Amino acid sequence: MKPSRAIARSVPFHAAACAALTFLASGIAHAQHAPDLPLHCADLAGALLPAAAIGLPTNGALVQTATMIPATANGNLNGDFCRLTGVIRAQTAGTPDIRFEVNLPSRWNGRALQFGGGGYSGVVVTGTGPMPFSPDRAPLARGYATFGDDSGHNGDASVATFGLLDEAVVNFGYAHLKKTHDVALALIERGYGRAPEHMYFAGGSTGGREGYTVIQRYPDDYDGVIANSPALNFSGVRLIGVELGRLEYRVPGGFVPPALLERVYERTMQACDTLDGAADGIISNVEACRALEPKIIDSLRCPADALASAAPSVSADDCLTPPQLATLLKLRDGLHLPYALAWNVDRYRGYNVFQGTRFTSLLGLAHSPERSPQLTFRANGYLYAQGDAYLKYFVTHDPTFDSSNFDVMRPGRYQQRLATLSATIGAMNPDIAHYIARGGKLITLHGLADEVISPNQTIAWYEGLVARYGQARVDSFMRLYMVPGYQHGNGVFIPSVDLIGALDDWVSRGNAPDTLVTTDIAQDTNGRTRPLCRYPAYPRYLGKGNLNLASNYACATPSSP
């Protein structure tokens, strides 16, 4: 990571802080200086960064607090570090400032890590906690300077009302990433007297989309990115949510009750669990399971004669009626739009409905057969509730808009708005040649049973890269790990693996990761291990030994049964 000379020159600093800079540059990593750190950390409070120090338009930034957190502080597992909080001023009246936090460890490893957000963000990502999927200490405890922000608005991560504010939407889509990066880099340079040797980014879901965003928009700013379960094609995932809501609540009989969704899941497990050689509650050989999908669907379909006679023996929880099957097939097939979004994207890939995805979770499909006046995740389904909010606040700017009347295939006067938003938030630009050329690295982990962000959208993005750049070039900079049984933060297998260690080893020493070992942290099966295989391989049981040990599995190429 090259120092930003323009930033270093343009940032004024008072004399006391200059003394602190000299001290920190020469000795911040040495434990014997720990008693002096609070004094010098506090000198950073009130530091101003002018707009010229930030690569996108702002009204400058202010460090509001600078607090030395000692290793002995209650609950602190990160050692001594200087915690800086502040704001990046918005340009437009009424737009919230971007709130940020930067953490400077006393034992710095020369690296910096920007943390991504989740959902609609709205809460400052402190950067003090552990990495998602990581069994090891938090990056801050490992010596990384860490930072994060709230993406430019305040509120719960599920609330989309900020979509009424144009600058806030741009901040959420991409601008907060660059603005916070530049502010953090300037503060790191002040604190240590030099820029980081390597700058990394890590996030999941929204943070995963942000990881792809920085690769596409700011390739010179990052040496490595971890982008898990990435919310790519943001307009697409919101539009499929609207389509599902219409099928569930406007089509008579289209609602699929939770008990029937569970029946679909159980039937799929019966058919596909052992296709990987192990009866372990995980469908790993998804492609082989997909080959069995017609038989699975036929076994779940309500008999025609029973439907015709409306026989009382046909329970709503026993079989799928044609309208219910149509709802699930839309979820499986995804969207095929008759118009293009940004970068000529006209599809959103569907979900693994009949390959082990459980849609009865809080983030799954609707639990109530009635459409609530105010949609909620549990009652009306996560995808539909979020799609409804997206139309209200981001697309139409009308909080009273009735999404049940919105025709996704014919959006009329809103088509251009959808295209514009997909460019702002979607992270679907396939041209990442600059990032590849400068040696940037990318690791993505995604659950094959994800019920929120389709894993098939991530696979399609990867395969698009292979078609564009060739397998060898993609292998030189990217690793894709698809995790069987993992949903969106839950599932029958929840992976834990040291991705930041793998990324740093790749960037710093050129050791490209291959098969990794991941530990399950799901409550009922905590501690079992599996190989984390590079796509398209999956972990296959070798036929003998403990089912819970990764050493008894090998990465295999998908095949039909």
Side-chain angles (χ1 to χ4, degrees):
M1 184 74 193
K2 300 294 186 184
S4 175
R5 295 181 180 178
I7 292 177
R9 284 199 303 266
S10 63
V11 179
F13 203 43
H14 54 75
C18 282
L21 186 154
T22 302
F23 164 80
L24 290 170
S26 63
I28 194 168
H30 297 94
Q32 63 265 32
H33 292 300
D36 296 327
L37 284 172
L39 171 64
H40 297 288
C41 177
D43 286 339
L44 292 167
L48 295 170
L49 278 73
I54 303 169
L56 292 177
T58 71
N59 279 329
L62 167 68
V63 176
Q64 295 173 312
T65 70
T67 308
M68 192 65 204
I69 309 298
T72 55
N74 187 35
N76 178 26
L77 301 177
N78 293 317
D80 298 318
F81 69 96
C82 178
R83 178 177 181 261
L84 309 173
T85 67
V87 292
I88 304 170
R89 299 297 189 191
Q91 287 196 300
T92 308
T95 299
D97 296 332
I98 298 170
R99 298 175 296 158
F100 68 84
E101 178 168 331
V102 178
N103 307 292
L104 306 178
S106 62
R107 294 180 178 272
W108 189 37
N109 66 7
R111 291 148 175 76
L113 175 63
Q114 182 173 6
F115 279 73
Y120 279 121
S121 297
V123 177
V124 175
V125 179
T126 66
T128 58
M131 283 274 298
F133 316 116
S134 178
D136 208 343
R137 297 176 300 158
L140 180 58
R142 297 166 71 169
Y144 288 83
T146 64
F147 58 99
D149 65 84
D150 66 356
S151 84
H153 61 276
N154 308 329
D156 185 272
S158 65
V159 176
T161 53
F162 72 93
L164 298 171
L165 303 170
D166 288 342
E167 186 179 350
V169 170
V170 171
N171 278 337
F172 173 74
Y174 62 89
H176 79 101
L177 299 165
K178 175 64 173 173
K179 294 172 182 178
T180 302
H181 166 276
D182 288 358
V183 168
L185 180 58
L187 293 174
I188 290 168
E189 288 179 336
R190 287 190 180 196
Y192 299 116
R194 61 186 176 93
E197 297 168 21
H198 297 300
M199 177 70 77
Y200 300 136
F201 184 95
S205 193
T206 286
R209 171 185 62 79
E210 291 170 343
Y212 279 80
T213 298
V214 299
I215 287 172
Q216 295 167 26
R217 290 183 178 269
Y218 314 114
D220 287 321
D221 287 347
Y222 300 87
D223 302 300
V225 167
I226 296 169
N228 296 327
S229 308
L232 299 172
N233 193 356
F234 194 76
S235 286
V237 72
R238 292 298 179 249
L239 291 177
I240 195 173
V242 174
E243 280 283 271
L244 288 170
R246 285 167 59 89
L247 288 169
E248 289 174 302
Y249 293 117
R250 290 198 57 145
V251 174
F255 172 75
V256 187
L260 185 49
L261 289 172
E262 190 65 12
R263 170 76 178 125
V264 172
Y265 173 76
E266 291 170 352
R267 177 67 191 94
T268 302
M269 291 300 299
Q270 292 168 3
C272 299
D273 183 8
T274 59
L275 294 176
D276 58 2
D280 56 358
I282 305 171
I283 295 177
S284 295
N285 193 348
V286 168
E287 290 307 310
C289 187
R290 205 181 307 280
L292 297 179
E293 184 176 291
K295 293 181 179 179
I296 294 171
I297 292 176
D298 283 344
S299 71
L300 291 164
R301 201 189 306 265
C302 291
D305 56 345
L307 289 170
S309 63
S313 60
V314 178
S315 166
D317 296 344
D318 284 343
C319 59
L320 292 168
T321 64
Q324 291 170 334
L325 182 57
T327 298
L328 295 186
L329 292 181
K330 169 57 66 177
L331 189 59
R332 180 201 68 181
D333 295 339
L335 282 181
H336 297 258
L337 299 172
Y339 55 90
L341 301 173
W343 300 293
N344 292 316
V345 171
D346 60 4
R347 289 191 62 186
Y348 187 81
R349 267 63 175 187
Y351 297 74
N352 292 330
V353 178
F354 301 101
Q355 290 80 42
T357 304
R358 206 171 207 154
F359 286 98
T360 53
S361 71
L362 178 62
L363 301 179
L365 296 182
H367 283 66
S368 171
E370 303 296 330
R371 186 183 187 276
S372 306
Q374 296 294 326
L375 302 188
T376 66
F377 294 165
R378 181 170 180 81
N380 307 113
Y382 181 87
L383 290 173
Y384 181 35
Q386 290 286 40
D388 173 80
Y390 186 64
L391 288 182
K392 283 181 166 68
Y393 299 108
F394 284 75
V395 178
T396 68
H397 284 181
D398 179 4
T400 67
F401 186 80
D402 184 357
S403 64
S404 65
N405 292 324
F406 186 80
D407 188 344
V408 168
M409 295 297 136
R410 289 173 286 275
R413 63 193 179 99
Y414 297 116
Q415 181 174 322
Q416 183 55 53
R417 177 63 177 164
L418 288 170
T420 299
L421 284 168
S422 69
T424 301
I425 309 176
M428 289 291 286
N429 186 350
D431 184 2
I432 57 172
H434 188 83
Y435 186 74
I436 299 173
R438 65 175 298 271
K441 307 303 181 187
L442 169 65
I443 296 176
T444 288
L445 177 154
H446 200 153
L448 283 164
D450 196 323
E451 76 276 39
V452 174
I453 305 300
S454 172
N456 298 310
Q457 182 65 61
T458 298
I459 290 172
W461 168 265
Y462 172 83
E463 292 179 341
L465 289 183
V466 172
R468 185 183 183 97
Y469 297 110
Q471 189 68 60
R473 197 172 184 198
V474 172
D475 288 346
S476 73
F477 87 96
M478 182 177 182
R479 291 291 181 269
L480 175 60
Y481 298 99
M482 303 302 297
V483 186
Y486 181 55
Q487 300 207 186
H488 202 76
N490 60 345
V492 294
F493 190 98
I494 303 176
S496 180
V497 60
D498 183 14
L499 293 183
I500 189 64
L503 181 69
D504 185 54
D505 195 36
W506 195 3
V507 171
S508 301
R509 289 170 284 278
N511 297 323
D514 198 71
T515 302
L516 303 174
V517 174
T518 182
T519 301
D520 187 5
I521 57 173
Q523 182 174 354
D524 293 340
T525 49
N526 191 294
R528 64 178 172 176
T529 58
R530 291 288 185 278
L532 189 59
C533 303
R534 291 173 56 188
Y535 176 82
Y538 71 93
R540 180 170 182 81
Y541 182 54
L542 295 174
K544 59 181 180 179
N546 192 332
L547 284 175
N548 294 324
L549 293 180
S551 57
N552 294 321
Y553 293 76
C555 291
T557 302
S559 61
S560 299

